[in-house]
Amino acid sequence: MSVGTVAAELAEERRAAGDGCTGSHAGKLLTLEEFLALCERPEYADKQLELDEGRLIVMPPAGDQHGTLSSWISAILWEYAKRSGVGRVASNDPGLLLSRDPHTVRAPDLAYYRENVRLEEISPGLAKRLPDLVVEVLSPSDRLGAVMRKVQQYLRAGIGMVWVVDGESRNVTVYRTGCEPRVLEENEILDGEEVLPGFTCAVADLFRLPGTVSGTAAASTVSETTKGEQR
Amino acid sequence: MSVGTVAAERAEERRAAGDGRTASDAGKLLTVEEFLALCERPEYADRQLELDEGRLIVMPPAGELMERFGLVIGLCWRLESGEQGGSCANDVLVLLLSRDPHTVRAPDLAYYRENVRLEEISPGLAKRLPDLVVEVLSPSDRLGMVMRKVQQYLRAGITMVWVVDGESRNVTVYRAGREPRVLEENEVLDGEEVLPGFTCAVADLFRLPGTVSGTAAASTVSETTKGEQR
């Protein structure tokens, strides 16, 4: 998810309701075709767009930490795909059509497909089928209610597993269809279950970039160093 | 939940790890008795404290969030005036959710499906866990922290948790062993078997007595402004 998702959404809604110049008039729901046409407009060139039951959502570009964390988790998933010989990872907010009438198009941070396909077989536009796993990396501005709405839309569309990664709280919440969510902290293990058979990763490793120690350990080291210098 | 939960928690952890003078030394986990003693200290007089698996969490006063309180009180009134009976407690109440390590949480609202006289209610830790817990989000709440709290409530045996998001204008209902359900303003919040007969339009949760809903109010204001400009 990107910085300012909800603020942008609210601002956009107010703007749409106020001047009515955009395609998303108050009360008028966008169709998929109208949404895809909007995505081509120059004023949205650097924005991430989503469609929530016909309502346009505009998100500004994501923050640096968000981008890095998403990319790192993508690398971990690719490593699994290479090792197991199955699957592919889509990043940079691939568009997924989650519902029709009204239309919902969401763009998760990462999507994992348990399939072996050649690059030419992958759609240049909206995904042809829904992924097996979706990963959302939180931004500081994300609101729980909006995130939960998105998670519900993924699960109801038939995506079997959703990971919501919170870099600040340092945990991952795993959502499965029909199940209670499970929160995994840094001392726990993220398991791919039957969606990614054989995948396991310590939650702490999700938050530790190559060549560094974990955030908490690094913080106490810094604290020690500072103390030493003061003496 | 209060403003700055996470920032405060982080700051507290750093402080505890840094100077080691508080009861929550790095590595040392607090018991519920130590926690309750800390709550009595003058420096924490205006703070909401929680204990998360032995680690102290300090939350600043909720401050300007009158909307939040209005919401809690409004919901409380709706629950108590319903046919199902029962009683509500908010914030002052603390719940012991786990032992060794100890977890003590202070939900915004707890609903007990029981009829008791005021004198029978414990002034400190609740004697038993409520049937429903309601958390009203603050802008600073982090999703991961909230989900951790929800998980602790459910694992402790609380049947139902409602998380109310005033900005997203929805309520998420959590039940043990089930997928969470997000209810938007055009949907109805149902008490299920926990609060039999309780129903409330989600939109009504966000509409204080004598007012119209936020969205409608905003457009009214906008109309008024336009009128004045002419």
Side-chain angles (χ1 to χ4, degrees):
Chain A
M1 288 171 222
S2 304
V3 175
T5 307
V6 174
E9 175 179 357
L10 291 179
E12 176 65 22
E13 277 179 338
R14 272 194 293 270
R15 200 168 68 83
D19 64 23
C21 301
T22 71
S24 121
H25 295 302
K28 183 178 175 300
L29 299 178
L30 291 181
T31 65
L32 183 60
E33 292 66 32
E34 288 167 331
F35 170 72
L36 294 176
L38 263 186
C39 294
E40 299 298 314
R41 284 219 216 156
E43 65 261 40
Y44 294 128
D46 61 342
K47 299 287 173 65
Q48 177 67 53
L49 302 185
E50 288 188 334
L51 192 63
D52 181 355
E53 299 190 359
R55 293 179 317 128
L56 184 67
I57 297 181
V58 183
M59 293 171 290
D64 190 13
Q65 191 194 67
H66 174 278
T68 305
L69 186 52
S70 299
S71 166
W72 171 235
I73 295 169
S74 163
I76 291 171
L77 286 173
W78 269 121
E79 189 57 41
Y80 164 77
K82 282 203 288 186
R83 190 163 39 83
S84 66
V86 184
R88 66 180 175 95
V89 187
S91 64
N92 290 46
D93 313 307
L96 304 176
L97 178 59
L98 299 181
S99 75
R100 289 175 183 277
D101 302 315
H103 287 82
T104 299
V105 177
R106 293 292 193 179
D109 292 313
L110 297 174
Y112 178 88
Y113 293 85
R114 195 166 160 69
E115 65 182 11
N116 293 97
V117 292
R118 289 195 316 265
L119 201 57
E120 311 82 86
E121 298 171 55
I122 299 171
S123 158
L126 287 180
K128 281 183 208 155
R129 71 171 194 89
L130 292 180
D132 300 284
L133 163 73
V134 148
V135 182
E136 288 285 4
V137 176
L138 295 182
S139 294
S141 61
D142 279 324
R143 289 290 292 177
L144 188 132
V147 173
M148 289 309 297
R149 179 176 171 85
K150 211 180 259 209
V151 168
Q152 177 166 287
Q153 288 171 340
Y154 288 135
L155 294 178
R156 289 191 176 171
I159 295 169
M161 190 187 246
V162 179
W163 294 345
V164 176
V165 180
D166 188 339
E168 197 176 324
S169 304
R170 299 265 160 173
N171 62 21
V172 180
T173 306
V174 178
Y175 298 88
R176 298 292 312 263
T177 316
C179 299
E180 182 182 328
R182 277 185 311 116
V183 183
L184 302 171
E185 304 291 341
E186 280 196 287
N187 58 350
E188 295 179 273
I189 303 283
L190 179 60
D191 190 289
E193 305 177 37
E194 80 281 6
V195 181
L196 287 78
F199 175 91
T200 57
C201 179
V203 173
D205 287 342
L206 291 182
F207 301 113
R208 181 163 53 226
L209 300 181
T212 67
V213 285
S214 79
T216 323
S220 57
T221 311
V222 169
S223 158
E224 282 306 305
T225 311
T226 315
K227 271 186 195 167
E229 284 170 0
Q230 282 170 344
R231 261 175 228 140
Chain B
M1 289 169 221
S2 303
V3 175
T5 308
V6 174
E9 176 178 358
R10 285 283 142 85
E12 177 65 22
E13 278 178 340
R14 271 194 295 271
R15 200 167 69 83
D19 65 22
R21 272 178 298 166
T22 71
S24 120
D25 293 325
K28 182 174 176 304
L29 299 179
L30 292 181
T31 64
V32 66
E33 291 74 23
E34 289 166 332
F35 169 75
L36 292 175
L38 262 186
C39 293
E40 299 299 314
R41 286 218 214 154
E43 65 262 41
Y44 294 126
D46 61 343
R47 296 297 170 84
Q48 177 69 56
L49 302 185
E50 290 188 334
L51 194 63
D52 181 354
E53 298 191 0
R55 292 178 318 127
L56 183 67
I57 297 181
V58 183
M59 289 170 290
E64 76 290 356
L65 284 172
M66 288 312 289
E67 186 194 13
R68 170 175 166 276
F69 287 113
L71 238 162
V72 170
I73 291 163
L75 188 56
C76 208
W77 175 79
R78 285 191 175 90
L79 288 171
E80 285 187 338
S81 62
E83 290 170 4
Q84 65 281 346
S87 56
C88 284
N90 62 335
D91 265 6
V92 289
L93 155 126
V94 281
L95 305 174
L96 178 60
L97 299 180
S98 75
R99 290 175 182 279
D100 302 314
H102 287 84
T103 299
V104 178
R105 293 291 191 182
D108 290 317
L109 184 65
Y111 179 85
Y112 290 87
R113 201 170 145 64
E114 65 183 11
N115 295 95
V116 291
R117 288 196 315 266
L118 198 60
E119 308 83 85
E120 296 171 49
I121 299 172
S122 151
L125 273 185
K127 280 184 203 150
R128 71 175 197 84
L129 292 180
D131 301 287
L132 164 73
V133 149
V134 182
E135 289 284 1
V136 179
L137 294 183
S138 297
S140 61
D141 279 325
R142 287 295 292 175
L143 190 138
M145 286 296 174
V146 175
M147 290 310 299
R148 178 176 171 87
K149 210 181 257 208
V150 168
Q151 178 165 288
Q152 287 171 342
Y153 288 135
L154 294 179
R155 290 191 175 171
I158 294 168
T159 319
M160 190 187 246
V161 179
W162 293 346
V163 177
V164 180
D165 187 339
E167 197 176 323
S168 305
R169 298 263 159 176
N170 63 20
V171 180
T172 306
V173 178
Y174 298 89
R175 301 284 312 259
R178 297 192 202 169
E179 191 177 312
R181 276 185 314 119
V182 182
L183 302 171
E184 304 291 342
E185 280 196 287
N186 58 349
E187 293 180 273
V188 173
L189 179 61
D190 190 290
E192 304 178 34
E193 82 282 3
V194 183
L195 285 79
F198 174 89
T199 58
C200 177
V202 172
D204 287 344
L205 288 183
F206 301 111
R207 180 164 52 225
L208 301 182
T211 67
V212 286
S213 79
T215 323
S219 59
T220 310
V221 169
S222 156
E223 282 306 306
T224 312
T225 316
K226 271 184 196 167
E228 284 169 0
Q229 281 171 344
R230 262 175 230 142

